[in-house]
Every structure is written in C-alpha cells, then in structure tokens.
Amino acid sequence: MFKIGDFSKLAQVSIKALRHYGELGLLRPAWIDRFTGYRYYSAGQLQRLNRILALKDLGFSLEQIQQLLRQDLPAAELRGMLRMKQAELERQVQAEQERLERVAERLRQIEQEGCLPAYEVVLKSVPAQRVAGVRAVIHGMHELPPLFSELDAYLRSRDLTLEASLATLAVYYDSEFSEQTLDVEAAVPLSQRLPGSRRVAVHELPGAENMACAIHSGSYNRLPEAYNALLSWVETSGYRSLGPNREVYLQRPADEAGEAAPVTEVQLPVQKKPTPFFISTNQEKKAMQPQIVERPAFTAVGLLYHGKNENDEIGQLWQQFNPRIPEVKHIVDGAFGICGQVEESGAFQYMAGFAVSSTEAIPEGMTTWEVPAQKYAVFPCTLQNIHETYQYAFETWLPGSGYKAAKGPDFEYYDENFEPGVEGSQLTIYVPIE
C-alpha cells in the first residue's frame, strides 16, 4: 500500500488530481485510515489510473471517462464514443488548418501591400429574422431610399417606429451584375408579428451558418471597395458564394448638425468549396499541394468533340474511341483527354486520344492535336470526383498559389495503371500555369 504522496510520485499525478478523481468515483483510495484520514492506494490501481490518463489524453472529459470505465459498457457503445471523439478531433484539426491558411493569407497580403488590409473580413453565423420588406427592380442606388421611406410609412401607419437597436438592411437578389437594373429588397427587422400590405411583405429572411462580413465606414459611394475586399477574401480562403448579398446599415448618415459617418456591414453567405480526392485522403498539408512539372510538347491522335457537354457527350466520345484504340499507331504514352479553352458561347473542343511519335496513317474520322511545351500543376483524382478536383484547382488552389492560368489546353492523363470501369482508379489532371 502507498500513501497518497508516494502514489502521486509513482504515478506522476498530483495529489490534488488524485483527490478529485476520488471525489468523482473514478479512482477511490484502496483504504482510508479512519483515525488520521490518510489515503492509501495499491499498486494494482496503477492500471486503472493509467487508463484514466490515456483516455484524458484522447480528449475525453472526466465525466465521459467515468462512463467509459463502466465494466458493463458494451463494446459497440465504446466504439461509438471513440468514433464520436475521432470525428470531433477531425473537425478541430480542420478548423485549425483553416485558421492556419487565414494566417498565411494575411502574411501574403502584408508582404504584397506592405501594410495591414483596409478591411477585416470575419466569418460568423447569422440567424433567421422576421422582416418587413419592399422588393423592387430599380435602375440605380438613388432609387433605394424611397423604398425605405415606404417602410417608414408602413410602420407609422401601425403606430410603430423602427427600434434603435435594429439596423435596416438591403438584400440584393440578382444572380449576376447588371448595369441597368438591380433586384433589391429594402427591409427592416420586426420584433413582433404584423400583417403585410400590397407593397410590404412580412416574411422570414433566411439565416446563414457562414456569413462573410466586412465593415465599411464612410460614403456609400466607396462601398465597392468593401465588396472587392470581401470577394477577394472569399476566393483566397476557399469559399464560394451561397446566396444574395446584403448591406446592413448599422449607422445612417447624421443630419446636418451631426458628425457621424454612415457605417455599413457588407454580408455574403458562403460555403466551403468541396474537398477533392487528393486532400480528403491525405491529412498532411504537403499533400494538399499539386506537383509542379515541366512537360515537353507532344502530338495526340484521337476523336474530337466540340460542344458544351450538356448530355455527357464526352463520356459517349470515350465509348466510341475505346474500341478503336488498336487503330492508333505509333503510341508512345498513355491516354489523354485534352480540353481546349472555353469559348464565349460556352462550347469547347475535347479530344479522347493517345500521344504518338508519328502522324502517319491517321485512322478515318480521327484528327491530331499539337500540345505545346508547358508548365503544369498536376492533381491526382478519380473519375468519380474529377469535377470537384477541377473546381478546387481553378477556384481554390490557383488564386492563392502565386501562379496564373496559362492559355494552353488542360488535360486528363490516364497512365498504364488506370483501370477503366474500376471505381476509385486514379488518374491525373494537368492544369497549365505560368
């Protein structure tokens, strides 16, 4: 038997912690001297103590450990608790990884501009809220104030005034920029239920789990600067827009006697861009970076498609090409899916073919494609997630990489290890860069 002090030294656990474990019932002393109150522990209790410390190291709370140490705990429940902890830790690692990326982006900004950014962008959760709104298609920002005047009249007609703590806002519903018109709703939050009117709609404005926000102080004419900073942050931080942007007017311009300048919060709901195959299957930061290679010029022979791939024409092209592969002569490399620049109409050229050393005896109906020497970023993927990998390459990696997209064609490369029809079989995509 060991006194608590000796047991503390042996186990390298403080006396305070041992007393706390005893109070919780995690590790009660083997014996307590009823005359002196001294606590004694047995050597056999070290195994239970080590298990407590091991579970604590995994991130479990003492309350959770108490449940895990139950002798009647089913194995299935134990596995379930461990898997939940694993998922929790993975979320924490992902959150810290994203934080690390934001720090790296801030460093890049300071190195490029020599100073702190003019706007700080924060990501926050915005709850849904009941609003009264007037929505209209306007022909310029000068037509927005009259919409708020309509809302003021609506509130006054019901003997209400806008609460000082609630800021008015504008919601922009246009899916793309237009120089002629803006589809906008002027809205005021409501703290109580009210009936709408012919012009005023009372409804719930959806919330957003992730809202990218930037604060602009000063003239409304300079709001585009805040939008530029917001969109730049969204792009370089690996997010994408998820709905209408908003302007929340935290402080309206003061009257002639006042000095306060308007303060506006620009908001954009966003979501994280999808994580492609080569990131989701590799946890280390270095695995997130593509390989940068120089590839010499080559000539490909194959079937050519021109269009928008609206009905999986590219898949049909490969189905036509695969049975004719034996017709292609002088093959020197694996198969290529070569894609040209997207035209203004949205159409593009795509070839299913092979690299060849000679263009003699080109099979009937096939053609050639001369691919110039080029530097590429190479991303591994599978056919099942090729779209999201392309999306990651162009929307997330490229903007923050220091490279620019080059004009040459990009292509898929299927080497001898690729197995058609086998789910998860890996290929690579080559993105031209400069």
Side-chain angles (χ1 to χ4, degrees):
M1 299 285 284
F2 300 92
K3 287 184 177 180
I4 189 171
D6 296 330
F7 192 73
S8 169
K9 293 177 184 177
L10 184 64
Q12 296 186 350
V13 176
S14 69
I15 293 177
K16 182 179 179 180
L18 289 173
R19 289 184 180 275
H20 187 50
Y21 295 163
E23 291 169 0
L24 293 177
L26 283 172
L27 186 71
R28 300 186 189 279
W31 178 64
I32 299 177
D33 188 323
R34 65 178 181 273
F35 299 106
T36 64
Y38 290 161
R39 296 166 178 251
Y40 291 85
Y41 294 83
S42 68
Q45 289 181 288
L46 282 172
Q47 183 177 4
R48 182 178 176 88
L49 178 58
N50 285 345
R51 180 163 295 173
I52 293 171
L53 298 177
L55 292 172
K56 189 178 177 183
D57 181 64
L58 293 178
F60 287 103
S61 67
L62 294 180
E63 291 75 14
Q64 291 172 323
I65 292 173
Q66 195 167 28
Q67 187 175 358
L68 286 166
L69 292 178
R70 282 172 29 214
Q71 292 184 351
D72 61 343
L73 182 68
E77 188 175 340
L78 175 60
R79 286 196 299 270
M81 292 184 69
L82 288 170
R83 284 171 180 158
M84 288 178 62
K85 176 55 66 175
Q86 182 182 36
E88 177 188 337
L89 293 174
E90 287 174 350
R91 288 193 296 270
Q92 292 176 6
V93 169
Q94 179 65 27
E96 290 304 309
Q97 182 63 55
E98 292 174 2
R99 192 190 306 274
L100 182 61
E101 291 172 4
R102 292 196 293 273
V103 170
E105 177 58 28
R106 176 59 60 86
L107 286 172
R108 282 195 294 269
Q109 283 183 322
I110 294 175
E111 290 170 358
Q112 292 173 2
E113 302 173 10
C115 61
L116 289 172
Y119 293 93
E120 297 291 349
V121 178
V122 297
L123 200 63
K124 62 184 182 181
S125 175
V126 174
Q129 57 182 332
R130 186 185 303 112
V131 299
V134 176
R135 182 171 175 176
V137 176
I138 62 177
H139 299 83
M141 294 303 296
H142 64 282
E143 296 183 13
L144 183 58
L147 301 184
F148 284 109
S149 297
E150 287 191 50
L151 288 173
D152 289 339
Y154 162 80
L155 293 175
R156 288 196 303 271
S157 70
R158 285 156 177 79
D159 298 323
L160 295 172
T161 56
L162 180 65
E163 295 182 23
S165 60
L166 298 177
T168 59
L169 65 151
V171 184
Y172 295 87
Y173 292 98
D174 297 281
S175 59
E176 60 183 46
F177 174 74
S178 171
E179 294 183 353
Q180 288 77 32
T181 61
L182 291 168
D183 182 3
V184 62
E185 178 183 23
V188 295
L190 297 176
S191 57
Q192 58 183 290
R193 293 186 179 277
L194 290 176
S197 68
R198 185 179 62 85
R199 286 280 295 168
V200 178
V202 175
H203 65 99
E204 185 175 86
L205 188 65
E209 183 179 352
N210 292 306
M211 186 78 83
C213 306
I215 298 294
H216 172 76
S217 298
S219 170
Y220 296 131
N221 293 331
R222 295 179 56 196
L223 273 174
E225 298 175 12
Y227 276 109
N228 288 339
L230 186 64
L231 293 174
S232 176
W233 181 91
V234 169
E235 183 66 31
T236 56
S237 298
Y239 286 87
R240 62 184 177 190
S241 173
L242 193 60
N245 60 293
R246 307 175 185 179
E247 293 171 4
V248 181
Y249 305 108
L250 303 174
Q251 179 174 279
R252 294 188 181 186
D255 57 26
E256 294 181 1
E259 298 181 357
V263 177
T264 308
E265 183 175 65
V266 179
Q267 299 182 340
L268 182 66
V270 295
Q271 69 175 176
K272 200 69 177 175
K273 292 177 181 176
T275 303
F277 166 79
F278 71 100
I279 292 180
S280 62
T281 55
N282 296 277
Q283 297 301 318
E284 296 183 9
K285 172 69 177 177
K286 63 182 181 180
M288 298 175 67
Q289 300 302 321
Q291 183 182 8
I292 307 299
V293 303
E294 298 272 359
R295 191 174 181 109
F298 66 92
T299 302
V301 169
L303 291 176
L304 191 66
Y305 163 75
H306 180 262
K308 301 180 181 179
N309 194 37
E310 296 173 304
N311 299 296
D312 192 32
E313 286 86 354
I314 289 179
Q316 298 169 31
L317 183 74
W318 279 102
Q319 290 178 10
Q320 297 170 21
F321 179 68
N322 287 336
R324 299 189 60 188
I325 290 176
E327 299 178 33
V328 181
K329 308 302 180 184
H330 313 295
I331 293 176
V332 294
D333 206 342
F336 290 84
I338 307 171
C339 187
Q341 297 289 311
V342 178
E343 302 161 10
E344 188 172 344
S345 65
F348 56 89
Q349 287 190 322
Y350 180 93
M351 172 182 278
F354 278 88
V356 298
S357 59
S358 173
T359 55
E360 295 180 355
I362 297 176
E364 183 179 356
M366 296 191 190
T367 187
T368 63
W369 193 321
E370 301 290 338
V371 179
Q374 180 68 57
K375 179 185 289 186
Y376 296 94
V378 184
F379 298 82
C381 66
T382 68
L383 286 178
Q384 289 72 40
N385 52 46
I386 189 170
H387 171 70
E388 67 178 22
T389 304
Y390 266 114
Q391 195 173 40
Y392 171 82
F394 283 98
E395 294 185 8
T396 301
W397 178 81
L398 195 57
S401 67
Y403 292 100
K404 295 189 299 183
K407 292 184 179 180
D410 59 81
F411 55 83
E412 306 138 26
Y413 175 56
Y414 305 85
D415 64 15
E416 66 278 1
N417 295 318
F418 178 78
E419 299 181 44
V422 177
E423 185 172 350
S425 187
Q426 190 168 305
L427 61 127
T428 49
I429 60 174
Y430 283 66
V431 176
I433 57 175
E434 59 184 13

